[in-house]
Amino acid sequence: MKILVAVKRVIDYNVQIRVKPDNSGVEKDNVKMSMNPPDENAVEEAIKLKDSGEVTEVVIVSIGQEKCQDTIRTALAMGADRGILVKAGDDIEPLAVAKTLKNIVEKEKPNMVLLGKQAIDDYCNQTGQMLSAILNWPQGCFVSELGINDSAITISREIDEGLEQLEIQLPAVVTCDLRLNEPRFASLPNIMKAKKKPIEIIEIESLGVDTIPKVKYLKVEEPPVRQGGVMVADVKELIQKLKYEAKVI
Amino acid sequence: MIENQNIQREEMSYDVVIIGAGPSGLATAIELKKLNPETSVCIIEKGSEVGAHILSGNVFETKALDELIPDWKEKNAPIKTKVSMEEFLFLNKKNGMNIPTWLLPKSLQNHGNYIISLANLCRWLGEQAEALEVEIFPGFAASEIIYNEDGSVAGIQTGDMGVDKEGQPKDTFEPGIILKGKVTVFAEGCRGHLGKQLIKKFELDKNSSPQQYGIGFKEIWEVDETQHQEGKVLHSVGWPLDPKTYGGSFCYHAENNQIYIGYVIGLDYQNPYLSPYDEFQQFKTHPKISKILKGGKRISYGARALIEGGLQSLPQMHMPGALLVGCDAGTLNMPKIKGSHTAMKSGIIAAETIQQHLYDKKELSVFDTIFKNSWLYQELYEARNVKPSFRWGLIPAMIFTAIDQLIFKGKLPFTLNHLHADHETLKLAKDSKKIDYPKYDGQLTFDKASSVYLTGTNHAENQIIHLQLKDPKLPISYTLEKFDEPSIRYCPAGVYDIQYNKEKDESEFIINSQNCIHCKTCDIKEPSQNINWVTPEGGGGPNYANM
Ligand SMILES: Cc1cc2nc3c(=O)[nH]c(=O)nc-3n(C[C@H](O)[C@H](O)[C@H](O)COP(=O)(O)OP(=O)(O)OC[C@H]3O[C@@H](n4cnc5c(N)ncnc54)[C@H](O)[C@@H]3O)c2cc1C
Ligand code: SF4
């Protein structure tokens, strides 16, 4: 059995995001980038399944600039077998990503595609679902538990009401929640070994995917600064304030 | 570290293992590869990436880089803004007196230097080193020194990952590994926690004065175009510091309407109520400074200790199996407040030493000969008397410095020694004056919490606390009682606090180790040397972008 894991290079979760002075986007120069956190859970789960013998090969794919190779190497150092980098611009949107992944799926023929539930940069939460639709494969999203039995998987998924248990036929698309597992640390010797693992590089143009953005960004702004709270003396004053100052009732 | 001695640790060997990817470590690596591409070299760096833990002014002198990578311009080094204008101010509360730059000693003039981000220069140097096949491993801290049976240094062990608060392995436990080198180079920067152990074990400082340190703050501001003069360098002494305390400010106009503004205070200050952080915040409200910052936006904050002892305090830099370079030893030129070019030069000298050691069977002690014949030694020699003269107070020191540097060019036939280590200088709280610092206005001055937020610092939860108390009772029984717990004030990240526990009816010493930005001030200034900074899990600590 073979698993394809899609990973995205994003601004590290510890970095304080800053809007560019000209409001054209957020500052990425010399900012630390790393693997999107839920994608790390996806990689971890795939490698766990490989460790337990259920899976024979884990292939990592990332779509973006040359530097995404670093992100792929991180996954290889955690224990994945090989990588694919589809070279594309930074502004590629979920639908184009899903279409690109479909291309890779058709080439690699994995039994399962694992992704993070969403990326922490744009919070789109669309790619996995779109991929499942265009592949016409079943999907399991926000997965916090995963088990394999023969040609199906059992999953728990995080939903508003609590946890939902499902059984899904393979091949399938699964998006991972942070609760799924705790990603391992890559050891130094494994980082060394990962440097020798192969990464295939594909130009996105060669796949014939339409990457022209469908959304136009007009302006990026910081959210307004939160005003400090005030203490009110009694309910009457509270209602007054809500009515006339905040104008919410 | 985990106690269990039975852990199987992997071992990797290189010709040279370097600890720390700052200017000194990177220069060592690059020069080694230039001298012999066959020498195998690795660098380990505790920051999550190269540059993440680098914080510096920085006005950069290219002297050492010109030797290391002569074509740095063609290779597009991030060194763009030439110093074009200079001002030196003597501040009092309301005003500032300009000291004409021609009156300044040459060491304080910056013509020909550049305003840079040292973190970004290190990122670039990292790329240059990797192109020469140096292996760099960011996200790994060297936590222990490994010795050979004959007592010489064999290498280091990297920190264990995935160990919980109690020292027990978690599911993600990943044992640290042993990295062995024919020579190990310690380039941890100011107050390296392994360098400190080596100096003690090999008594490297037995012929030197006590070491001296400072704490340096830096903020990056985006300011209004009309207030920005790219290439301008402004320094000041005086207000708000009292004349007995050694320190001053810097304000550099960098690219993109950014200002690098900061403050350096000698850690030999005496009043336990002094708060270096608040001195810096207050400094920004001076009319000469606030007019630059008004309407601007603060985008970064950070702090780091500096090593200021100079030549008198410099320990021996070689020992069996290892070398100590850069600020880990103390090569900073204090009157210039420049340590980057000197750190790099010490790395170049280390590389020449290792080359002779590996291939011509010379002892590592040839370091001394090469060092003594270099411009680095000459430069540190000439600068040696400036810092110690400040024990006479600001004005006499400035007069002495003018005579020493302008007339005698540092060649006066005597050397002033440093008298005390920085942890010995605090007066008792009862004999000291409390200082009332103004409230933060949220425009020019900010509280510590919102400052620390900008550093992006992080440490994985549930790990061993990396600020170790030799005696856990001492903060309450001694430091609080005698000095009113100065760590609350000197820590630039608000790691320490005293809280009153109602149930137990006693005060408790709190360590918010997650906030630590690895400046090392507590390790230096704690009056009884009770706080020992050790490496947390690799990758933890600040995530500085353009510092
Ligand atoms: C506020 C301030 C302003 C300054 N202004 C200037 C200026 O204008 N011009 C100038 O030339 N100099 C300036 N300096 C000094 C200059 O920054 C230092 O001299 C220089 O950075 C020293 O280089 P280094 O390589 O010795 O150490 P560092 O730059 O400190 O680098 C050490 C590296 O080692 C890593 N490390 C440490 N311990 C370990 C470990 N155990 N395991 C793994 N990695 C480790 C650290 O994370 C770091 O990346 C300034 C310093 C400060 C604080
Ligand atoms: S705890 Fe110590 S090393 Fe950490 S930020 Fe505070 S003073 Fe600096």
mmCIF file of all heavy atoms in Angstrom, chain B residues 19-25 44-46 53-59 118 140-142 187-190 193 216-217 250 252 304 306 326-327 332 337-340 343 535, ligand 1:
data_model
loop_
_atom_site.group_PDB
_atom_site.id
_atom_site.type_symbol
_atom_site.label_atom_id
_atom_site.label_comp_id
_atom_site.label_asym_id
_atom_site.label_seq_id
_atom_site.Cartn_x
_atom_site.Cartn_y
_atom_site.Cartn_z
ATOM 1 N N ILE B 19 30.212 24.673 17.097
ATOM 2 C CA ILE B 19 28.991 24.919 17.851
ATOM 3 C C ILE B 19 28.588 26.377 17.680
ATOM 4 O O ILE B 19 29.247 27.269 18.207
ATOM 5 C CB ILE B 19 29.183 24.669 19.373
ATOM 6 C CG1 ILE B 19 30.094 23.481 19.649
ATOM 7 C CG2 ILE B 19 27.844 24.567 20.084
ATOM 8 C CD1 ILE B 19 29.663 22.194 19.016
ATOM 9 N N GLY B 20 27.507 26.613 16.956
ATOM 10 C CA GLY B 20 26.990 27.971 16.810
ATOM 11 C C GLY B 20 27.214 28.529 15.412
ATOM 12 O O GLY B 20 28.344 28.596 14.938
ATOM 13 N N ALA B 21 26.117 28.929 14.758
ATOM 14 C CA ALA B 21 26.201 29.510 13.417
ATOM 15 C C ALA B 21 26.049 31.022 13.481
ATOM 16 O O ALA B 21 25.185 31.602 12.843
ATOM 17 C CB ALA B 21 25.155 28.886 12.498
ATOM 18 N N GLY B 22 26.884 31.661 14.291
ATOM 19 C CA GLY B 22 26.985 33.123 14.285
ATOM 20 C C GLY B 22 28.145 33.493 13.367
ATOM 21 O O GLY B 22 28.713 32.627 12.689
ATOM 22 N N PRO B 23 28.500 34.787 13.336
ATOM 23 C CA PRO B 23 29.591 35.192 12.454
ATOM 24 C C PRO B 23 30.893 34.431 12.704
ATOM 25 O O PRO B 23 31.600 34.082 11.750
ATOM 26 C CB PRO B 23 29.762 36.684 12.754
ATOM 27 C CG PRO B 23 28.815 37.031 13.831
ATOM 28 C CD PRO B 23 27.859 35.910 14.017
ATOM 29 N N SER B 24 31.229 34.138 13.959
ATOM 30 C CA SER B 24 32.509 33.471 14.224
ATOM 31 C C SER B 24 32.498 32.025 13.742
ATOM 32 O O SER B 24 33.440 31.570 13.097
ATOM 33 C CB SER B 24 32.848 33.535 15.717
ATOM 34 O OG SER B 24 31.866 32.866 16.481
ATOM 35 N N GLY B 25 31.421 31.294 14.045
ATOM 36 C CA GLY B 25 31.344 29.889 13.644
ATOM 37 C C GLY B 25 31.306 29.742 12.134
ATOM 38 O O GLY B 25 31.996 28.889 11.552
ATOM 39 N N ILE B 44 26.483 22.987 14.328
ATOM 40 C CA ILE B 44 25.145 22.854 14.885
ATOM 41 C C ILE B 44 24.724 24.175 15.517
ATOM 42 O O ILE B 44 25.534 24.929 16.054
ATOM 43 C CB ILE B 44 24.974 21.670 15.855
ATOM 44 C CG1 ILE B 44 25.728 21.898 17.136
ATOM 45 C CG2 ILE B 44 25.404 20.366 15.227
ATOM 46 C CD1 ILE B 44 25.194 20.973 18.184
ATOM 47 N N GLU B 45 23.436 24.449 15.395
ATOM 48 C CA GLU B 45 22.892 25.758 15.783
ATOM 49 C C GLU B 45 21.589 25.529 16.541
ATOM 50 O O GLU B 45 20.696 24.844 16.054
ATOM 51 C CB GLU B 45 22.667 26.585 14.508
ATOM 52 C CG GLU B 45 21.785 27.822 14.662
ATOM 53 C CD GLU B 45 22.267 28.799 15.721
ATOM 54 O OE1 GLU B 45 23.453 29.170 15.695
ATOM 55 O OE2 GLU B 45 21.457 29.179 16.594
ATOM 56 N N LYS B 46 21.484 26.125 17.735
ATOM 57 C CA LYS B 46 20.293 25.876 18.551
ATOM 58 C C LYS B 46 19.046 26.593 18.039
ATOM 59 O O LYS B 46 17.925 26.183 18.313
ATOM 60 C CB LYS B 46 20.559 26.223 20.021
ATOM 61 C CG LYS B 46 20.724 27.711 20.321
ATOM 62 C CD LYS B 46 20.943 27.919 21.813
ATOM 63 C CE LYS B 46 21.599 29.235 22.159
ATOM 64 N NZ LYS B 46 20.871 30.466 21.874
ATOM 65 N N HIS B 53 18.572 33.292 16.190
ATOM 66 C CA HIS B 53 19.005 33.745 17.513
ATOM 67 C C HIS B 53 20.030 34.862 17.445
ATOM 68 O O HIS B 53 20.699 35.162 18.425
ATOM 69 C CB HIS B 53 19.586 32.575 18.317
ATOM 70 C CG HIS B 53 18.528 31.639 18.793
ATOM 71 N ND1 HIS B 53 18.787 30.565 19.605
ATOM 72 C CD2 HIS B 53 17.197 31.617 18.567
ATOM 73 C CE1 HIS B 53 17.659 29.918 19.852
ATOM 74 N NE2 HIS B 53 16.688 30.530 19.228
ATOM 75 N N ILE B 54 20.183 35.462 16.271
ATOM 76 C CA ILE B 54 21.177 36.524 16.139
ATOM 77 C C ILE B 54 20.499 37.878 16.303
ATOM 78 O O ILE B 54 19.528 38.195 15.613
ATOM 79 C CB ILE B 54 21.863 36.470 14.755
ATOM 80 C CG1 ILE B 54 22.542 35.115 14.547
ATOM 81 C CG2 ILE B 54 22.858 37.622 14.597
ATOM 82 C CD1 ILE B 54 23.755 34.856 15.378
ATOM 83 N N LEU B 55 21.014 38.650 17.238
ATOM 84 C CA LEU B 55 20.520 40.018 17.452
ATOM 85 C C LEU B 55 21.732 40.913 17.593
ATOM 86 O O LEU B 55 22.617 40.653 18.384
ATOM 87 C CB LEU B 55 19.665 40.063 18.722
ATOM 88 C CG LEU B 55 19.183 41.456 19.140
ATOM 89 C CD1 LEU B 55 17.797 41.355 19.714
ATOM 90 C CD2 LEU B 55 20.113 42.129 20.134
ATOM 91 N N SER B 56 21.763 41.971 16.816
ATOM 92 C CA SER B 56 22.927 42.843 16.836
ATOM 93 C C SER B 56 22.531 44.205 16.295
ATOM 94 O O SER B 56 21.483 44.331 15.664
ATOM 95 C CB SER B 56 24.014 42.211 15.966
ATOM 96 O OG SER B 56 25.249 42.835 16.193
ATOM 97 N N GLY B 57 23.384 45.235 16.486
ATOM 98 C CA GLY B 57 23.030 46.616 16.122
ATOM 99 C C GLY B 57 22.468 46.814 14.727
ATOM 100 O O GLY B 57 21.289 46.997 14.591
ATOM 101 N N ASN B 58 23.144 46.824 13.640
ATOM 102 C CA ASN B 58 24.542 46.541 13.543
ATOM 103 C C ASN B 58 25.183 47.448 12.516
ATOM 104 O O ASN B 58 24.724 47.520 11.378
ATOM 105 C CB ASN B 58 24.716 45.073 13.132
ATOM 106 C CG ASN B 58 26.157 44.627 12.971
ATOM 107 O OD1 ASN B 58 26.862 45.135 12.122
ATOM 108 N ND2 ASN B 58 26.585 43.695 13.772
ATOM 109 N N VAL B 59 26.227 48.153 12.978
ATOM 110 C CA VAL B 59 27.088 48.847 12.030
ATOM 111 C C VAL B 59 28.283 47.934 11.805
ATOM 112 O O VAL B 59 28.966 47.544 12.753
ATOM 113 C CB VAL B 59 27.522 50.223 12.553
ATOM 114 C CG1 VAL B 59 28.592 50.808 11.656
ATOM 115 C CG2 VAL B 59 26.333 51.159 12.589
ATOM 116 N N LEU B 118 22.617 41.729 11.118
ATOM 117 C CA LEU B 118 23.604 40.656 11.269
ATOM 118 C C LEU B 118 22.946 39.284 11.091
ATOM 119 O O LEU B 118 23.554 38.351 10.578
ATOM 120 C CB LEU B 118 24.295 40.737 12.637
ATOM 121 C CG LEU B 118 25.490 39.793 12.823
ATOM 122 C CD1 LEU B 118 26.611 40.100 11.841
ATOM 123 C CD2 LEU B 118 26.023 39.835 14.249
ATOM 124 N N PHE B 140 19.329 22.167 16.563
ATOM 125 C CA PHE B 140 19.983 21.252 17.503
ATOM 126 C C PHE B 140 20.910 22.015 18.420
ATOM 127 O O PHE B 140 21.747 22.793 17.954
ATOM 128 C CB PHE B 140 20.790 20.182 16.762
ATOM 129 C CG PHE B 140 19.924 19.215 16.010
ATOM 130 C CD1 PHE B 140 19.595 19.451 14.691
ATOM 131 C CD2 PHE B 140 19.408 18.093 16.643
ATOM 132 C CE1 PHE B 140 18.767 18.581 13.998
ATOM 133 C CE2 PHE B 140 18.577 17.225 15.962
ATOM 134 C CZ PHE B 140 18.243 17.452 14.637
ATOM 135 N N ALA B 141 20.770 21.798 19.710
ATOM 136 C CA ALA B 141 21.635 22.481 20.667
ATOM 137 C C ALA B 141 22.715 21.514 21.139
ATOM 138 O O ALA B 141 22.458 20.325 21.333
ATOM 139 C CB ALA B 141 20.806 22.939 21.857
ATOM 140 N N ALA B 142 23.922 22.036 21.294
ATOM 141 C CA ALA B 142 24.975 21.246 21.929
ATOM 142 C C ALA B 142 24.743 21.354 23.423
ATOM 143 O O ALA B 142 24.798 22.439 23.979
ATOM 144 C CB ALA B 142 26.345 21.794 21.552
ATOM 145 N N ALA B 187 31.647 28.327 19.333
ATOM 146 C CA ALA B 187 31.352 29.661 18.795
ATOM 147 C C ALA B 187 29.952 30.060 19.212
ATOM 148 O O ALA B 187 29.139 30.481 18.405
ATOM 149 C CB ALA B 187 31.485 29.636 17.274
ATOM 150 N N GLU B 188 29.668 29.896 20.521
ATOM 151 C CA GLU B 188 28.296 30.078 21.021
ATOM 152 C C GLU B 188 27.911 31.531 21.252
ATOM 153 O O GLU B 188 26.799 31.817 21.659
ATOM 154 C CB GLU B 188 28.122 29.354 22.361
ATOM 155 C CG GLU B 188 28.453 27.889 22.350
ATOM 156 C CD GLU B 188 28.672 27.392 23.766
ATOM 157 O OE1 GLU B 188 29.764 27.629 24.327
ATOM 158 O OE2 GLU B 188 27.754 26.773 24.332
ATOM 159 N N GLY B 189 28.849 32.431 21.055
ATOM 160 C CA GLY B 189 28.537 33.822 21.338
ATOM 161 C C GLY B 189 28.672 34.107 22.820
ATOM 162 O O GLY B 189 29.122 33.269 23.603
ATOM 163 N N CYS B 190 28.263 35.327 23.197
ATOM 164 C CA CYS B 190 28.451 35.799 24.560
ATOM 165 C C CYS B 190 27.876 34.829 25.593
ATOM 166 O O CYS B 190 26.729 34.424 25.496
ATOM 167 C CB CYS B 190 27.764 37.164 24.671
ATOM 168 S SG CYS B 190 27.784 37.837 26.310
ATOM 169 N N HIS B 193 27.130 28.465 27.110
ATOM 170 C CA HIS B 193 27.028 27.677 28.342
ATOM 171 C C HIS B 193 28.040 26.544 28.369
ATOM 172 O O HIS B 193 28.419 26.070 29.428
ATOM 173 C CB HIS B 193 25.576 27.250 28.608
ATOM 174 C CG HIS B 193 25.255 25.856 28.251
ATOM 175 N ND1 HIS B 193 25.145 25.454 26.950
ATOM 176 C CD2 HIS B 193 25.031 24.772 29.029
ATOM 177 C CE1 HIS B 193 24.848 24.166 26.939
ATOM 178 N NE2 HIS B 193 24.780 23.735 28.176
ATOM 179 N N GLY B 216 22.167 44.285 25.884
ATOM 180 C CA GLY B 216 21.815 45.145 24.757
ATOM 181 C C GLY B 216 20.393 44.882 24.296
ATOM 182 O O GLY B 216 19.973 43.729 24.165
ATOM 183 N N PHE B 217 19.640 45.963 24.102
ATOM 184 C CA PHE B 217 18.272 45.855 23.591
ATOM 185 C C PHE B 217 18.248 46.346 22.160
ATOM 186 O O PHE B 217 19.044 47.210 21.786
ATOM 187 C CB PHE B 217 17.313 46.734 24.398
ATOM 188 C CG PHE B 217 17.174 46.288 25.811
ATOM 189 C CD1 PHE B 217 18.061 46.724 26.779
ATOM 190 C CD2 PHE B 217 16.163 45.412 26.166
ATOM 191 C CE1 PHE B 217 17.940 46.294 28.093
ATOM 192 C CE2 PHE B 217 16.035 44.986 27.472
ATOM 193 C CZ PHE B 217 16.925 45.425 28.439
ATOM 194 N N PHE B 250 22.062 53.387 20.532
ATOM 195 C CA PHE B 250 22.360 53.479 19.107
ATOM 196 C C PHE B 250 21.060 53.645 18.345
ATOM 197 O O PHE B 250 20.001 53.207 18.805
ATOM 198 C CB PHE B 250 23.149 52.260 18.612
ATOM 199 C CG PHE B 250 22.451 50.936 18.762
ATOM 200 C CD1 PHE B 250 21.585 50.467 17.776
ATOM 201 C CD2 PHE B 250 22.670 50.132 19.878
ATOM 202 C CE1 PHE B 250 20.952 49.237 17.897
ATOM 203 C CE2 PHE B 250 22.034 48.896 20.017
ATOM 204 C CZ PHE B 250 21.171 48.449 19.020
ATOM 205 N N TYR B 252 20.167 53.530 14.206
ATOM 206 C CA TYR B 252 20.691 53.408 12.844
ATOM 207 C C TYR B 252 19.552 53.467 11.830
ATOM 208 O O TYR B 252 18.563 52.758 11.955
ATOM 209 C CB TYR B 252 21.439 52.071 12.677
ATOM 210 C CG TYR B 252 22.557 51.844 13.680
ATOM 211 C CD1 TYR B 252 22.883 50.558 14.109
ATOM 212 C CD2 TYR B 252 23.299 52.906 14.206
ATOM 213 C CE1 TYR B 252 23.912 50.328 15.027
ATOM 214 C CE2 TYR B 252 24.318 52.689 15.119
ATOM 215 C CZ TYR B 252 24.619 51.394 15.533
ATOM 216 O OH TYR B 252 25.620 51.186 16.436
ATOM 217 N N ARG B 304 20.016 40.822 24.030
ATOM 218 C CA ARG B 304 21.091 39.834 24.070
ATOM 219 C C ARG B 304 22.232 40.426 24.874
ATOM 220 O O ARG B 304 22.478 41.643 24.792
ATOM 221 C CB ARG B 304 21.546 39.546 22.632
ATOM 222 C CG ARG B 304 22.731 38.621 22.460
ATOM 223 C CD ARG B 304 22.296 37.173 22.528
ATOM 224 N NE ARG B 304 23.362 36.246 22.151
ATOM 225 C CZ ARG B 304 24.176 35.656 23.040
ATOM 226 N NH1 ARG B 304 24.070 35.922 24.324
ATOM 227 N NH2 ARG B 304 25.084 34.803 22.631
ATOM 228 N N LEU B 306 26.125 41.246 25.819
ATOM 229 C CA LEU B 306 27.366 41.479 25.065
ATOM 230 C C LEU B 306 28.534 41.240 26.000
ATOM 231 O O LEU B 306 28.426 41.459 27.207
ATOM 232 C CB LEU B 306 27.505 42.936 24.626
ATOM 233 C CG LEU B 306 26.576 43.584 23.646
ATOM 234 C CD1 LEU B 306 25.359 44.074 24.368
ATOM 235 C CD2 LEU B 306 27.272 44.740 22.960
ATOM 236 N N GLY B 326 35.261 34.039 18.840
ATOM 237 C CA GLY B 326 34.242 35.090 18.872
ATOM 238 C C GLY B 326 33.868 35.489 20.280
ATOM 239 O O GLY B 326 34.695 35.468 21.205
ATOM 240 N N CYS B 327 32.619 35.867 20.469
ATOM 241 C CA CYS B 327 32.165 36.347 21.768
ATOM 242 C C CYS B 327 32.097 35.244 22.820
ATOM 243 O O CYS B 327 31.938 35.535 23.992
ATOM 244 C CB CYS B 327 30.816 37.049 21.620
ATOM 245 S SG CYS B 327 30.989 38.698 20.903
ATOM 246 N N LEU B 332 34.993 41.045 21.407
ATOM 247 C CA LEU B 332 34.308 42.285 21.030
ATOM 248 C C LEU B 332 35.163 43.516 21.365
ATOM 249 O O LEU B 332 35.831 43.548 22.384
ATOM 250 C CB LEU B 332 32.963 42.359 21.753
ATOM 251 C CG LEU B 332 32.078 43.564 21.445
ATOM 252 C CD1 LEU B 332 30.689 43.087 21.025
ATOM 253 C CD2 LEU B 332 31.945 44.479 22.648
ATOM 254 N N ILE B 337 31.764 49.256 20.174
ATOM 255 C CA ILE B 337 30.661 48.281 20.277
ATOM 256 C C ILE B 337 30.535 47.444 19.017
ATOM 257 O O ILE B 337 29.448 47.223 18.496
ATOM 258 C CB ILE B 337 29.248 48.855 20.618
ATOM 259 C CG1 ILE B 337 29.123 50.333 20.332
ATOM 260 C CG2 ILE B 337 28.692 48.397 21.930
ATOM 261 C CD1 ILE B 337 27.662 50.788 20.295
ATOM 262 N N LYS B 338 31.645 46.953 18.556
ATOM 263 C CA LYS B 338 31.596 46.081 17.380
ATOM 264 C C LYS B 338 32.273 44.762 17.708
ATOM 265 O O LYS B 338 33.413 44.743 18.153
ATOM 266 C CB LYS B 338 32.291 46.729 16.200
ATOM 267 C CG LYS B 338 31.541 47.905 15.654
ATOM 268 C CD LYS B 338 32.066 48.307 14.298
ATOM 269 C CE LYS B 338 31.375 49.561 13.829
ATOM 270 N NZ LYS B 338 31.725 50.737 14.646
ATOM 271 N N GLY B 339 31.551 43.705 17.452
ATOM 272 C CA GLY B 339 32.117 42.388 17.712
ATOM 273 C C GLY B 339 31.981 41.458 16.535
ATOM 274 O O GLY B 339 32.462 40.335 16.570
ATOM 275 N N SER B 340 31.304 41.908 15.470
ATOM 276 C CA SER B 340 31.055 41.002 14.355
ATOM 277 C C SER B 340 32.326 40.766 13.546
ATOM 278 O O SER B 340 32.663 39.625 13.246
ATOM 279 C CB SER B 340 29.976 41.546 13.426
ATOM 280 O OG SER B 340 29.005 42.250 14.145
ATOM 281 N N ALA B 343 34.784 38.866 15.688
ATOM 282 C CA ALA B 343 34.379 37.460 15.831
ATOM 283 C C ALA B 343 34.760 36.687 14.563
ATOM 284 O O ALA B 343 35.298 35.579 14.630
ATOM 285 C CB ALA B 343 32.876 37.364 16.074
ATOM 286 N N THR B 535 20.907 24.551 27.779
ATOM 287 C CA THR B 535 20.169 24.555 26.514
ATOM 288 C C THR B 535 18.819 23.869 26.664
ATOM 289 O O THR B 535 18.745 22.760 27.148
ATOM 290 C CB THR B 535 20.960 23.830 25.412
ATOM 291 O OG1 THR B 535 21.499 22.635 25.965
ATOM 292 C CG2 THR B 535 22.064 24.701 24.885
HETATM 293 C C1 LIG C 1 22.533 45.166 21.040
HETATM 294 C C2 LIG C 1 23.789 44.776 20.327
HETATM 295 C C3 LIG C 1 24.345 45.636 19.393
HETATM 296 C C4 LIG C 1 25.507 45.290 18.716
HETATM 297 N N1 LIG C 1 25.970 46.125 17.760
HETATM 298 C C5 LIG C 1 27.024 45.760 17.003
HETATM 299 C C6 LIG C 1 27.460 46.572 15.917
HETATM 300 O O1 LIG C 1 26.879 47.611 15.631
HETATM 301 N N2 LIG C 1 28.528 46.159 15.197
HETATM 302 C C7 LIG C 1 29.177 44.998 15.464
HETATM 303 O O2 LIG C 1 30.128 44.652 14.764
HETATM 304 N N3 LIG C 1 28.798 44.205 16.499
HETATM 305 C C8 LIG C 1 27.726 44.555 17.272
HETATM 306 N N4 LIG C 1 27.332 43.742 18.310
HETATM 307 C C9 LIG C 1 28.130 42.572 18.664
HETATM 308 C C10 LIG C 1 27.930 41.377 17.751
HETATM 309 O O3 LIG C 1 26.570 41.096 17.610
HETATM 310 C C11 LIG C 1 28.630 40.153 18.328
HETATM 311 O O4 LIG C 1 29.934 40.478 18.630
HETATM 312 C C12 LIG C 1 28.623 38.985 17.368
HETATM 313 O O5 LIG C 1 27.324 38.572 17.122
HETATM 314 C C13 LIG C 1 29.420 37.827 17.936
HETATM 315 O O6 LIG C 1 29.427 36.757 17.053
HETATM 316 P P1 LIG C 1 29.606 35.252 17.558
HETATM 317 O O7 LIG C 1 29.648 34.417 16.344
HETATM 318 O O8 LIG C 1 30.760 35.185 18.467
HETATM 319 O O9 LIG C 1 28.334 34.941 18.451
HETATM 320 P P2 LIG C 1 26.770 35.081 18.166
HETATM 321 O O10 LIG C 1 26.512 36.066 17.105
HETATM 322 O O11 LIG C 1 26.130 35.276 19.484
HETATM 323 O O12 LIG C 1 26.356 33.658 17.591
HETATM 324 C C14 LIG C 1 26.359 32.498 18.375
HETATM 325 C C15 LIG C 1 25.465 31.462 17.737
HETATM 326 O O13 LIG C 1 25.641 30.226 18.425
HETATM 327 C C16 LIG C 1 24.395 29.660 18.743
HETATM 328 N N5 LIG C 1 24.581 28.833 19.949
HETATM 329 C C17 LIG C 1 24.932 29.268 21.179
HETATM 330 N N6 LIG C 1 25.043 28.240 22.028
HETATM 331 C C18 LIG C 1 24.770 27.118 21.336
HETATM 332 C C19 LIG C 1 24.722 25.729 21.681
HETATM 333 N N7 LIG C 1 25.020 25.297 22.898
HETATM 334 N N8 LIG C 1 24.362 24.848 20.727
HETATM 335 C C20 LIG C 1 24.070 25.276 19.465
HETATM 336 N N9 LIG C 1 24.112 26.566 19.094
HETATM 337 C C21 LIG C 1 24.459 27.481 20.008
HETATM 338 C C22 LIG C 1 23.497 30.848 18.940
HETATM 339 O O14 LIG C 1 22.142 30.496 18.773
HETATM 340 C C23 LIG C 1 23.990 31.807 17.866
HETATM 341 O O15 LIG C 1 23.345 31.604 16.641
HETATM 342 C C24 LIG C 1 26.170 44.068 19.011
HETATM 343 C C25 LIG C 1 25.612 43.199 19.947
HETATM 344 C C26 LIG C 1 24.434 43.538 20.603
HETATM 345 C C27 LIG C 1 23.848 42.577 21.583
#
